[in-house]
Each structure stands twice: as C-alpha cells, then as structure tokens.
Amino acid sequence: MDNKLYNLVTKEEKCYGCGNCVVACPVNAYNDPAVAGGKGPEQLDKVIMCVENGVIKILNMGLCKGCGTCIEECPDGAIGLEVNYTT
Amino acid sequence: MIEEKENIVCPFCGCLCDDGVVKVEDNKIVGTRNLCRIGHKKFESAQHGRAESPRIRKNGELVPVTLEEAFDKAAEILVNAERPLFYGWSATCAEATQVGCELTEACRGIIDCTATICHAPSIEAIQDQGAPLSTLGEVMNRADLILYWGCNPMHAHPRHMSRYSVYPRGFFRKRGRKSRTIMVFDPRRTDTAKLADLHVQISPASDHMLVHTFREILNSYDVTHETVAGIPADAIRETMEAMAQHQWCILFFGMGLTQQMGKDRNIDVAIQLMHELNKYIGIRTTLMPMRGHFNVAGANITICSETGYPFAVDFSRGYPRYLPGETSAMDVLYRGEVDAMLNIGANPGTSFSNRALSHMAKIPLINIEPHNQQLLQISDVVFSPAMVGIECEGTAYRMDNVPIKLRKVVEPPENRLPDVVILTEILKRVKELKGKGA
Amino acid sequence: MNEIVLKPKDHTRISLEAEVITPDSFAGKSLDEIENMMLYQGNRSVRLKERFDVSGSPCDTAADLRIIIDGDAPRTKRVGEKMSCGEIVVRGNIDMHVGAEMTGGKITVEGNADNFVGREMVGGLIHIKGNALDYVGGTARGKMEGMRGGEIIVDGDAGDHVGNFMYGGVIKIRGNVGQSAGQHMRGKGTIIIGGNSWSRVGCEAADGTILVKGKVHLSTASLGYGCIGQVVKDPELGGDVIEGEFYELRADMGYEPKCGIAKVYASVGLNEHILPGGRTSVPRKGDMPVNRDMLPYLKIYHEEMIVKGGKK
Ligand code: SF4
Ligand code: SF4
C-alpha cells in the first residue's frame, strides 16, 4: 500500500468530520449506495475513508485511484493527496 | 465487548443525522462513526461533567436533596409566582414540551423557546408572507441551485452539505455536487464560502438591500447605482442571470439574515423574492431556516399545536396570547417582570443579555439541565435529567419539520429521570397545590 | 366635561392590564364601582383602587368624560383600548398598547409611550408629547391590518415600524423615526416624518404616502435605485400643505395583491445621495433615532436594577 503512486494524508486536528470527502468520493459512492445518497458508509471494507470519532479516518488506501475529488471538497485542507514519484 | 449500535440519531444540531453508529462498552460510550466532530463530542462528553441531581439552594449553597423535596420546592415556586416564565425546550423532546405547555397553562405563565433569540424572525415573516417550504429529501433529489445566506453550515451544521443538500446524489441530480450550483452570501470568507461556486461577499448589514436589488432586476427596474451592498451592479445582474439558469432552487438562511438589523423584515423580503422567482422565471424556489438546536423546530411545532402560537405564548389570563415584543422571554426579562423561571434544554447563561441575566439572578430559578452550566450558579432548584436521545427516547423535529424518533443508547445514571417525568411530577404537584388554594 | 382622576400608587414591575380604563366603561358608574373594577396583573387580578387613588365626578355619558391619569404609569398597559369617545389624559409615561383599536375620542400622553401606540386604531386622536417606541399605529403579530383611521401625533421621536400594515389615517412624527417606517402599508394612509428616517422606508408598501422632511437613509434598494419620479413643490398631505421641495419616489416595486403604488416624498435639500449614481450611505451614528434606553422610565428601572443587583 505504501508504494502506491498516490497516498491520502489526513490532518485529524483540522477535520470537522463533515463527511464531504466521504460522500464526494466516486469510489465510495460506487461501492456503497448508502454513501452515494449521503449517508455514512455501511460496508466499511469497500470504502476508502469514513468519519470515525468525529474525524476522518482512512480505511482502505488501496482503493484510492488518486482522482483528488476529496481534497477539493475539504474546505480546511484536512485531507491531502501525496504523490510518490520516487517509487 | 464493544457493542456497535447502528442508526442512532444525533441529538445535537437541526440536521438530526440519523445514520450514526455509537460504540458502547459496559454502558460507556467509547466512540462514534459517521457523526461529525460536534455530534461525536456530544456523545463522547455526555457521561462526563454531569450535574449532581437534584439540588436546592439553601443559605446560598446548592445542597443535594431527595427528588420528592425538589419536586415540592419547584411546584411551590411556580404556584406562588405571578408571572412565571418557562423557557428553553430546544434540547428536549416534543413530549416534554407538551407537558410544558400544560404546566404553563396550569401556572398561567409564559412559555417561550430558544427560537425567540434565533429564528423567531423567520416565523414572524412566514406569518406575514407565507412561505414555500420543502423537506431536505426534496432538496437532495431536486435542487440544482443552493443558496446559503447568512449561515455557515460547515461550522454549525457540519454534515448538512454532505448528508442532505450538496453532495448526495439524488433522483434528478445524479452527479451530486457536480449537478448543483452553490452560492454563498456572506460578508466573511467562511469555510462554506470556500466550497461555493460563487461567493457574494456583501458588506455587513446590507442583505436587505441586495435582496431588494434582485427583486428590482426581476421586476425589470433599472439598477441605477454603481454598487449595491458593496457589489457592483453588473455583478448583481450577472448573478441574477446565473440564478435564472436553474430549475429548482433552495435558500438556506441563518442567523446572518434573522438577527441583523431589520430581523424579520429581511426574511420578509427574501420570501417575496422567492415568490417572484417562482412567478416570473419559473424556477421552483423554496426556503428553509437553518435551525440550530436539534429540536428547536419541534419546540415551535409542539407549542403551536398545543396553544395555537409558535413561541412566546402568554397564559396569564388563562387563554393563550401571543405578541413578540410583549410576551417574549427577552422582553419580559428585560423589563424585570418575571418573578420565577423554569429553564429546560437551553443555556441562557451564554445567550441572554446581561440585563436579563441580572434579573434572573434575583428570581427563583428552576433549572433542568444535565450538565454543569453557567446558569447553575444562579439556580435555586436543579434537576439533572437523563439526556434525550442518549439516555432516553423522545421525538425531535429536523430543521425541515420532519419528526424523527430519538433512540436510547445507554442507561442513564442513577436518579436521572427523563424530562417528561420531571415535568409531569411538577405538574402533578402544581395541580394539587392549586386545587388546595381554590 | 366631567373628570375622573386616577392617581397611580406605587409602581410594580409586573405590568397591569388596564383595558377597563376607558371613558366607555367608566360611564354610568359611581366612584365606588369604578374603584372596584378589575385590572389584571400577571396571573392575578387586582381592584383598580389597589393601584390607583380614584377621585372626581363620574357621569353617565362617555363622551363627556375625561379620565386623567395623574402621574407616571410606566407599567400600565392597554389604557384606552377600544375606546370610542371621551378623553384620556396621562400626565406621565405610559406602557404599551395605549389607544389600541380605539375608534374615537382623544388620548393625550404628556410623557413617553412604549410600543404599539394606537395599534389597529380606527378613529380618534392620540397625541404623545414625548417619544414613542416601536409599532406606532402598527399591528399585532400575525394580523394583516394595522391602523385604519384617526390620527397619531408624536412630538418626539418614534421607534421602528411606524405604520406597519397601515390601511388609513394619519401619523405625524415630529422627530426621527427608526427603520422600516410604513413597511407593508396597504391602504391610503399617510405618514409625515419631521426628522430623519432610518433605513427601509416604505419597503413592501403597496399604497399610501410617506413624507420625510429630513434625510432618508438609503438601505433599501428600491428607493431611488429605481425611478426618481419628479420634484414636487408644497405637496398637500394629511390635510396640510407641507412647504418645501420633495422628490417623489416609488416606495416599492409593487406587491401582491397589487393595489396601488406607495409613494415616498423625500426633501430635495438633504437627499442627493438617493439620486441615480449617488453613493449608498450607511447610517452614521449621530443620525440614528431612538433606541430603547432613550426612554427615561426604562432608565429608571435599569438604574434601580444596578443598585439592587448582585447576589440574592
Ligand atoms: S477531511 Fe475535510 S472534507 Fe473530510 S470530513 Fe474532514 S473536514 Fe470534512
Ligand atoms: S451535522 Fe448535526 S446532527 Fe449531524 S452529526 Fe453533526 S451535529 Fe449531529
């Protein structure tokens, strides 16, 4: 997982837990219909991230294709995309 | 063993998110999922810092007493009062408000909810103008233009955008955020504004003027001034044109519109704009106040269904009367008329004016509040109830006036009764005392 | 004219509801009967003699009766409510709803009055020699019909929403007024403002006339932003000819149900800022009219509170 080209990094202390990133993410929406309709994820093994204890938590980094939708929808920069050119 | 309770409703803000997961271990809340930061904090801190219950002030100190003694004392205070005020009702369930209305009628007092210092102007404007309303489900499925005016949901209702309005994919808005246009009208560059397609940064306290200018453009009058409300006239025309490209519009408005100069008149004119958008352009337009507390909409609805008026109802002559400015909580406290007060599900300690608070310090004050709050220092009878939505069940109304049943997650601590039971016991004693007097 | 004098005794904090203090209900009653009339206070009721010393000469016809409240009655509401004839004189301040829904007769208040002076009045004359607070000639909440006839004169300033939902009659304010004067005017009413008017004059008004001799603060776009009509000289309003030159402006761009066009007259000398291309001015501090603490009696209560305040 670590040697992927794209990596999501989170800053919990900045996160509101709004879930914008969770719902906006096309992978989450495709894999879990609940997320597509705005609810919290119901199938935790199929989504990239969810909000846990009020802050964002990455669950399955492997599913992320690096489209960057989530980082656009975070007003606070609490989620970011890291690109690993070296590997 | 950590048990995950699913589909828990969050009793914090008017969004009433009903998809929460709360993790419970040995009757202790250890974590949540899906709830936002504020909602999580509400559950997490629910079991800490609870006020001792029940207590009565004797010789200037709050001392623990039995429940019976506290009920008796509360009833005695209320029966002896000439103009008791029953305030709060926003952080409790509709059932409790129902009993509260009965208690107010029995004591011939005034019942008022926290709307009186937040969204009462919206209600007043709706009374004057009528209003096209909708539910959040409709917004999700239909809205392609979302206006946030004078509100900042990213901070106050964090999941509002992701759960109900902007991000979810709806029946007619299949691509979620990409199917919608977001406009934010706010003097500040808020976090909501950062997510918007258009942020109209108006100068403070000139919203009314801007709404009016939109109306002028719709009514084909000329905008003859170069800038209005700090916005160039051309930009206003373009904004109007952009708005007109859509099919279904919703205006979410908050305290920025209701509690600035003009109050209800701002909403008044906004509703007028909605009518005209419907009439002249054919955009289906509705509006929705962003209600704060989880059940402040419910307080209005319950008081309205019980008494006929939504807030500030005065029973002093036995029948309900309503006149904000005369019978609203702030006004009677400001004039020093109240001679006993019951506070439930609200924290006037942080929201009332100094003058109202200094009067509250001088009158007997019954406080039904689970946590240690500022108001305890001036309360005379304190009950610490079970928390609605966490330790007992109840009904609450979402900001679009949809009733939602709150769930019980953990057992309440010892001696903590639900609000409904506390109020019913007080009501029983008030009726007994009144019966004796007659 | 027969006079009945009510001398207020001690002030109470909880307002009295004294809708019985009208010539109509005093007429034909002996002093003893008047003394035993019921007033409401909070959830109790008191007899009139507990709050007022009653003296004077009663009479049978209300039209010949003058009631004098001889002193300050800042916590007595609804004096003269629904009165149809006779006269009431208040030698001091008075609380809300003075002359509400009155149909005739005359009320003179020598001090200040609280909110809702002449609410929904139909006829008669109310003269406030001090200041009046909000909703002069307005409506109760949720009602759509305000003042329909009669005349209100305020010698001092008035608060917000003067003539809210006004359908007729005349309101004359000698001083400044707060915001939203004449908002939602729906009929042929007339408001004449001697001083300045704070923002939103005539907003959403459908009919009627508002004249401002001072400055109109431009916080509503509809004034001046739209059409400047014409300059009118010495218009005749409310039975008087008002000297001077005034811009004739449209108050609002029409309203449902459309029943006319409300007009605002603003004096030419002081109002260049509303001409097309003029700057939209934000009200300055010195121009602002009354606020709550302006009323002397409210101040008294305020000070008393500070002195007696603190720990219970
Ligand atoms: S990371 Fe940003 S978008 Fe995601 S939940 Fe946190 S604040 Fe919201
Ligand atoms: S948005 Fe409101 S209701 Fe939803 S989880 Fe957050 S605080 Fe609770």
Side-chain angles (χ1 to χ4, degrees), chain B residues 57 79-84 107-109 124-125 127-129 205 208-209 212-213 215-216 219 221-229 260-266 268-269 272 276 279-280 314 316-317 321-326 331 333-339 355 358-365 377-380 434, chain C residues 13-15 17 19 40-44 74-75 77-78 95-97 114-116 119 135 139-144 161 164-165 179-180 183-184 186 198-200 203-204 218-222 224-227 250 252-256 273-280 292-293 297-298 301-302 305 308-312:
Chain B
R57 189 173 295 275
V79 167
N80 290 331
E82 270 186 57
R83 206 154 166 72
C107 301
R108 291 202 179 190
E124 287 165 11
Q127 284 172 344
D128 279 354
Q129 291 274 27
H208 186 278
M209 204 193 299
H212 235 286
T213 313
R215 285 187 59 205
E216 302 228 297
N219 283 288
Y221 286 106
D222 244 6
V223 181
T224 45
H225 282 56
E226 270 162 31
T227 59
V228 179
Q260 60 145 294
M261 190 182 80
K263 303 220 169 179
D264 53 315
R265 301 303 163 194
N266 301 326
D268 214 312
V269 74
Q272 196 59 36
E276 284 169 358
K279 196 167 95 183
Y280 296 142
D314 181 3
S316 63
R317 283 168 78 164
R321 290 184 300 168
Y322 158 79
L323 191 54
E326 186 184 2
D331 294 87
L333 283 170
Y334 197 84
R335 289 162 62 100
E337 287 194 32
V338 180
D339 60 353
R355 185 157 160 189
S358 79
H359 182 69
M360 277 163 66
K362 283 183 281 170
I363 57 175
L365 177 63
Q377 285 154 20
I378 54 171
S379 307
D380 297 85
K434 288 259 176 191
Chain C
R13 276 173 172 263
I14 300 177
S15 297
E17 297 200 359
E19 67 267 35
Y40 293 90
Q41 180 168 28
N43 53 17
R44 316 280 151 97
R75 290 287 156 111
K77 283 178 184 168
R78 297 168 161 242
D95 204 353
M96 297 183 196
H97 301 292
D114 209 310
N115 300 338
F116 301 108
R119 164 175 66 82
Y135 288 95
T139 58
R141 279 285 167 198
K143 285 199 188 167
M144 304 284 249
H161 307 295
N164 185 31
F165 281 105
Q179 57 179 309
S180 302
Q183 180 141 14
H184 282 295
R186 297 284 180 82
W198 199 18
S199 70
R200 298 169 196 184
C203 185
E204 285 163 87
L218 195 60
S219 307
T220 164
S222 64
Y225 278 22
C227 55
R250 165 181 52 80
D252 199 279
M253 57 218 112
Y255 186 75
E256 297 282 340
H273 62 288
I274 57 176
L275 290 174
R279 286 171 54 86
T280 59
R292 272 202 93 100
D293 280 338
Y297 70 91
L298 280 172
Y301 280 91
H302 194 51
M305 197 166 277
K308 288 192 192 160
K311 282 265 163 276
K312 48 183 149 181

Side-chain angles (χ1 to χ4, degrees), chain A residues 12-13 15-20 23-24 29 36-41 44 50-55 72-73 75, chain B residues 7 19 23 30-37 40 140 154-155 158-159 161-163 167-169 177-178 191 194-195:
Chain A
E12 271 100 22
E13 69 285 358
C15 175
Y16 300 124
C18 64
N20 287 357
V23 179
K39 288 176 90 172
L44 291 182
C50 79
V51 175
E52 186 149 322
N53 292 343
V55 287
E72 276 169 26
E73 306 310 342
Chain B
N7 294 336
D19 57 346
K23 296 174 194 159
V30 290
T32 63
R33 195 166 64 241
N34 298 345
L35 300 180
C36 74
R37 196 160 201 151
H40 167 72
M140 174 174 118
M154 276 310 297
H155 288 181
R159 292 192 69 201
M161 296 176 92
S162 75
R163 175 92 173 83
Y167 292 98
R169 291 132 189 102
R177 170 71 178 88
K178 293 197 168 58
D191 277 342
K194 286 179 197 161
L195 293 175

Side-chain angles (χ1 to χ4, degrees), chain C residues 119-133:
Chain C
R119 164 175 66 82
E120 292 154 50
M121 86 188 255
V122 183
L125 171 69
I126 301 178
H127 188 173
I128 311 284
K129 295 197 174 159
N131 304 318
L133 271 184

Side-chain angles (χ1 to χ4, degrees), chain C residues 207-278:
Chain C
D207 208 344
T209 318
I210 306 164
L211 183 137
V212 186
K213 291 187 189 163
K215 202 169 170 179
V216 176
H217 288 296
L218 195 60
S219 307
T220 164
S222 64
L223 264 180
Y225 278 22
C227 55
I228 295 283
Q230 50 187 347
V231 175
V232 181
K233 239 185 141 169
D234 302 338
E236 193 184 333
L237 276 183
D240 296 328
V241 174
I242 290 147
E243 285 179 17
E245 283 190 320
F246 295 90
Y247 292 123
E248 191 187 74
L249 309 168
R250 165 181 52 80
D252 199 279
M253 57 218 112
Y255 186 75
E256 297 282 340
K258 209 166 184 159
C259 37
I261 290 181
K263 282 186 210 144
V264 174
Y265 291 99
S267 77
V268 168
L270 293 161
N271 289 303
E272 317 89 72
H273 62 288
I274 57 176
L275 290 174

